Amino acid sequence: MLGVELLELWRAGRVQLPALAHVYDVAVRELEGVAHDDADWVTLRRELAGVLDSAGRQVLEAGVAVCVAVARYADADRVAGVEFARLRGDASRSQL
């Protein structure tokens, strides 16, 4: 079950979060395409675009962090598995 959960986390970090970040990127580009002469609107649009851009970058960073955590956990699990196999082998030899 753990491998399946790690795979789902990896997919979240590698696929789903980048897809969400892309939605923010599209929103920023579409927002910047809305022309208007009103100074208040221009200021609001600029601020909103900045917030959306920042959120998108944070989502991408979260995806990278999730993938790093998955890789580190998988590596630690592999090392622990090797050690467990070694100890189990030593235990079975001592029972002979």
Side-chain angles (χ1 to χ4, degrees):
M1 182 83 142
L2 181 59
V4 171
E5 292 167 350
L6 285 177
L7 177 60
E8 289 303 314
L9 283 172
W10 180 84
R11 280 188 185 134
R14 189 74 174 198
V15 177
Q16 295 165 342
L17 290 173
L20 177 59
H22 179 71
V23 170
Y24 281 103
D25 186 50
V26 169
V28 168
R29 283 186 273 131
E30 288 181 0
L31 184 62
E32 289 173 347
V34 176
H36 203 287
D37 292 338
D38 184 61
D40 289 336
W41 164 249
V42 172
T43 301
L44 177 62
R45 181 182 65 194
R46 186 178 308 123
E47 289 176 11
L48 183 54
V51 168
L52 292 171
D53 182 61
S54 177
R57 282 186 279 112
Q58 289 174 353
V59 169
L60 278 178
E61 290 173 9
V64 169
V66 167
C67 288
V68 167
V70 166
R72 287 183 181 168
Y73 189 91
D75 189 49
D77 189 59
R78 182 191 56 76
V79 170
V82 168
E83 179 65 8
F84 178 65
R86 184 188 69 77
L87 292 172
R88 191 176 60 207
D90 288 349
S92 66
R93 280 188 285 255
S94 66
Q95 292 176 357
L96 296 175

